Amino acid sequence: MGFLRATLTFLAAAFLSASAASAQQRNLGPETGKVSIRQLQVAFIGSGAVGGGTLTYRGRSYGITVGGLGIGGIGASRLTATGSVYGLTRREDFTGAYVQIREGWAIGDHGRGRLWLRNPSGVTLRLVARRQGLQLSLGADGVLIGWK
């Protein structure tokens, strides 16, 4: 019962923060960087993902690692996501723990989705994803981003 309560509390907080982030989209300010991510995602109620990518910030490219655990979805897919970074004023603020809200689907070579990530330093990632595989994804994750 305690696990279920903790899970529901986490999901409620994540979805509320996503709603607030969506409502404040105009307040994110100017784009401060670009990011691309490649991941393998597997889900059966719980979900896991591992991968990497690139941050482009102030004219330079940096390799990143991306991993996460979460709740929601079923299936497996390969994900390629690209998008904008907001609120990044120091490169060091990019790495660390993020809360991710995701939705998407994949059937064979066709699939798409959106990802929203935010960390405690105020860095926000808004990504559009292309998926390949067989997966229905709707949920929240804790994501850890590091340097390669």
Side-chain angles (χ1 to χ4, degrees), residues 61-122:
S61 294
Y62 303 94
I64 59 172
T65 60
V66 181
L69 295 174
I71 300 167
I74 188 167
S77 68
R78 185 179 322 267
L79 171 133
T80 303
T82 57
S84 299
V85 178
Y86 299 92
L88 183 61
T89 56
R90 298 179 318 143
R91 185 179 80 98
E92 298 79 27
D93 290 339
F94 186 76
T95 58
Y98 284 76
V99 172
Q100 171 181 273
I101 305 299
R102 61 182 156 73
E103 64 85 13
W105 58 273
I107 300 176
D109 287 340
H110 303 284
R112 63 182 174 87
R114 292 179 293 191
L115 307 170
W116 299 268
L117 294 91
R118 186 172 180 96
N119 74 11
S121 298

Side-chain angles (χ1 to χ4, degrees), residues 21-37:
S22 179
Q24 296 175 2
Q25 178 179 358
R26 292 176 295 268
N27 297 333
L28 289 175
E31 177 184 279
T32 54
K34 292 277 190 187
V35 69
S36 65
I37 294 174

